[in-house]
Amino acid sequence: MAGLSGGQRKLLIFELIFQRTAPQSDLLIVLDEPFAGVTDDFVPFITDRLNEMRKKHNILLVTNDHVDTLKKMADNTVTVSAIDRTKVKINDREGVDRNLALISMSIGDNYAYSTNNNDLKFFTDVEFSANGGIPGIAGFTTFAFGLFLLTFWNSQPGSEALVLIAAGMISYFSVNPYLLQLVDWRIFMIEEAEALLHSSKSMNKLLKTNLTVLLILIISSIQFGIMQAVIDTLSGVDMYFAILFDNASLMLAPICLGLYTNLSLQAVQILGAFPFLMMIFFSTTFSPGAGVDGLKNLRYLFSRYYLFCMTPSVDIMMEGCPESNNLLYLILSSLLIVFIFLTVIGGMALRSKLQKKKHSESKRQSMMTMEYAELQVELFGEKALKKLKHIGSNVDLKSLENSVRSKSMEDDGTSSDEPVTVSDETV
């Protein structure tokens, strides 16, 4: 959108939202200052679009411009004072408590996006495009392992540790650029999913996780194959899985932190590098036999220690290697960061659930008041009576029925002896 003015960009985004929401229905669309930066010539265009959208959707619009025009279109208006924000005006009702007003307006049906094959195709097209990162990773991996093949060709027995470390570093630095862009990807994906209703956030995160794990699997397999070409003493199924899970132990932290937290890029870079840094210090693979006795026991938490216990020429230098089940210990230790992450996330989720439960109880008490019931009737009319019946409100629903009936007759200019009824239907 280079070269466009601020108003032109706003019109373009507004039209994009209109087109994206056209195939759907019953959405809540929130627009903040749609007229800001737009000349009066385009006001009829925007209002026409708003009228089209309000036929199928619920629109929440925040603005200081062209208020009189919008009031004529709106079903309800909420006026917020710049002086006292604790009270608001809803239609003609003055002095409404702000928190109660928010509760009254927020009760509605939940929207759940149903994913389809188009979402999967869009994800695939983006990830494997030139900007998605995969082609660049493929090119760098080919170049780096090509040099490794040339420079480590015909390595002799006894150099297994050097070959293993060098190949592992190439794998790490091949995947690392993709891991570093996970934070930006998460932020842009959430904005896209929430603002333009393209697809499910959870589905996209799961797809991205699977793709990243697949990338680690492929590059680890390439590493194992190239190592077989330069030296023949690092072979076997156990060695393949040992290399795979050792690589994963260094790369799973950026995936967890980058996709499933709200941490900044800098925080993810620092925390995501900790497994690599701690492996250097505490796995004893860079300093066999050295170190303070108490700290040396931490080596059992690192998969690299068990990998070196399986590596010819250095296994005899490693202290306390398991006599059996070495690969099992390696796999378990490689997943330790995932176990810790899930434990922390689970604890935070439980705490959040308890807080939400407490908040819900306070919210429910507010929903039992007459003022809340009157606000619901003011905002939603007859539909509000059904909701109040459903939540078990203990206010005088009969008087509210009469109020709705009277207002309906005034609006229609007709009279009727039939009362408005409240059904047991779940809304």
Side-chain angles (χ1 to χ4, degrees):
M1 294 192 295
L4 298 180
S5 66
Q8 289 172 328
R9 289 193 184 98
K10 179 162 291 187
L11 286 173
L12 183 60
I13 294 174
F14 185 79
E15 181 64 16
L16 179 60
I17 293 173
F18 175 80
Q19 297 294 339
R20 283 287 182 91
T21 57
Q24 314 212 33
S25 61
D26 295 325
L27 301 177
L28 174 61
I29 302 173
V30 182
L31 301 173
D32 185 18
E33 298 288 358
F35 296 106
V38 179
T39 62
D40 291 343
D41 295 339
F42 289 101
V43 172
F45 169 78
I46 295 178
T47 54
D48 287 344
R49 282 293 194 236
L50 288 173
N51 273 320
E52 285 293 320
M53 294 166 68
R54 70 193 293 262
K55 293 177 182 178
K56 299 175 62 178
H57 305 295
N58 302 295
I59 300 177
L60 176 60
L61 191 147
V62 181
T63 186
N64 287 319
D65 302 317
H66 304 283
V67 174
D68 292 335
T69 300
L70 294 173
K71 276 185 176 181
K72 296 176 183 177
M73 298 170 52
D75 296 315
N76 296 287
T77 60
V78 180
T79 306
V80 182
S81 171
I83 300 175
D84 182 10
R85 295 183 178 273
T86 63
K87 303 290 183 181
V88 299
K89 177 183 176 183
I90 297 181
N91 299 331
D92 296 326
R93 186 184 292 270
E94 301 273 3
V96 178
D97 181 76
R98 180 176 179 270
N99 291 329
L100 186 61
L102 288 173
I103 294 174
S104 299
M105 290 185 289
S106 64
I107 303 300
D109 300 326
N110 290 326
Y111 171 73
Y113 185 91
S114 57
T115 57
N116 52 53
N117 292 334
N118 291 331
D119 294 328
L120 180 60
K121 183 178 183 303
F122 179 82
F123 177 87
T124 305
D125 291 342
V126 170
E127 290 299 322
F128 289 93
S129 68
N131 296 325
I134 296 295
I137 298 298
F140 178 81
T141 302
T142 302
F143 170 76
F145 274 115
L147 288 179
F148 175 84
L149 191 62
L150 294 174
T151 54
F152 281 80
W153 183 260
N154 199 29
S155 295
Q156 300 301 310
S159 61
E160 289 88 354
L162 297 176
V163 172
L164 193 60
I165 291 174
M169 291 179 65
I170 293 175
S171 292
Y172 180 81
F173 287 113
S174 295
V175 179
N176 198 51
Y178 196 77
L179 299 177
L180 293 179
Q181 57 85 36
L182 291 179
V183 175
D184 287 338
W185 179 91
R186 180 237 305 162
I187 294 172
F188 292 137
M189 180 276 297
I190 290 176
E191 291 177 349
E192 169 80 5
E194 291 183 346
L196 300 180
L197 305 168
H198 186 269
S199 58
S200 163
K201 293 181 288 186
S202 299
M203 185 202 72
N204 270 329
K205 287 181 179 180
L206 181 60
L207 288 173
K208 190 71 169 182
T209 301
N210 290 338
L211 181 60
T212 309
V213 171
L214 178 62
L215 186 63
I216 295 173
L217 173 63
I218 292 173
I219 291 181
S220 297
S221 299
I222 294 173
Q223 173 189 339
F224 180 74
I226 294 294
M227 288 170 55
Q228 303 310 298
V230 301
I231 193 169
D232 58 5
T233 54
L234 294 173
S235 59
V237 176
D238 284 359
M239 180 58 67
Y240 169 76
F241 282 105
I243 290 172
L244 172 61
F245 280 95
D246 179 64
N247 286 341
S249 70
L250 304 178
M251 303 174 189
L252 290 177
I255 298 175
C256 295
L257 298 173
L259 293 180
Y260 297 98
T261 71
N262 294 321
L263 294 175
S264 65
L265 175 59
Q266 185 180 36
V268 171
Q269 287 178 318
I270 294 173
L271 296 176
F274 259 70
F276 191 97
L277 190 63
M278 295 299 103
M279 178 272 294
I280 295 175
F281 292 136
F282 298 119
S283 68
T284 70
T285 53
F286 288 85
S287 54
V292 179
D293 289 337
L295 288 177
K296 287 197 295 185
N297 292 330
L298 294 176
R299 65 186 183 273
Y300 296 111
L301 300 177
F302 295 89
S303 60
R304 181 62 60 90
Y305 165 75
Y306 299 103
L307 176 62
F308 269 47
C309 285
M310 300 170 61
T311 304
S313 76
V314 294
D315 54 341
I316 57 175
M317 302 172 59
M318 305 304 295
E319 293 183 89
C321 288
E323 297 181 0
S324 61
N325 298 321
N326 193 84
L327 180 61
L328 175 61
Y329 295 137
L330 186 152
I331 293 174
L332 291 176
S333 60
S334 70
L335 298 176
L336 179 62
I337 189 68
V338 178
F339 297 149
I340 295 174
F341 179 78
L342 292 177
T343 300
V344 173
I345 292 297
M348 294 173 62
L350 179 60
R351 179 185 177 187
S352 177
K353 184 177 180 180
L354 294 175
Q355 290 177 340
K356 286 182 179 179
K357 183 178 180 180
K358 183 178 179 180
H359 175 71
S360 297
E361 182 60 31
S362 175
K363 182 178 177 180
R364 182 171 180 81
Q365 291 177 2
S366 298
M367 292 167 62
M368 296 295 107
T369 64
M370 175 60 78
E371 186 178 5
Y372 170 81
E374 291 174 346
L375 281 175
Q376 283 278 289
V377 171
E378 176 77 26
L379 292 167
F380 304 110
E382 183 179 351
K383 186 178 181 180
L385 296 175
K386 299 176 183 179
K387 289 183 178 181
L388 292 169
K389 178 72 173 180
H390 175 61
I391 65 174
S393 177
N394 53 13
V395 302
D396 187 358
L397 295 180
K398 185 64 177 178
S399 63
L400 289 175
E401 291 176 14
N402 294 333
S403 175
V404 172
R405 181 178 60 178
S406 300
K407 184 176 180 181
S408 177
M409 289 188 297
E410 290 175 3
D411 293 340
D412 297 339
T414 60
S415 61
S416 173
D417 293 331
E418 297 182 4
V420 178
T421 58
V422 181
S423 68
D424 291 328
E425 177 187 356
T426 299
V427 180

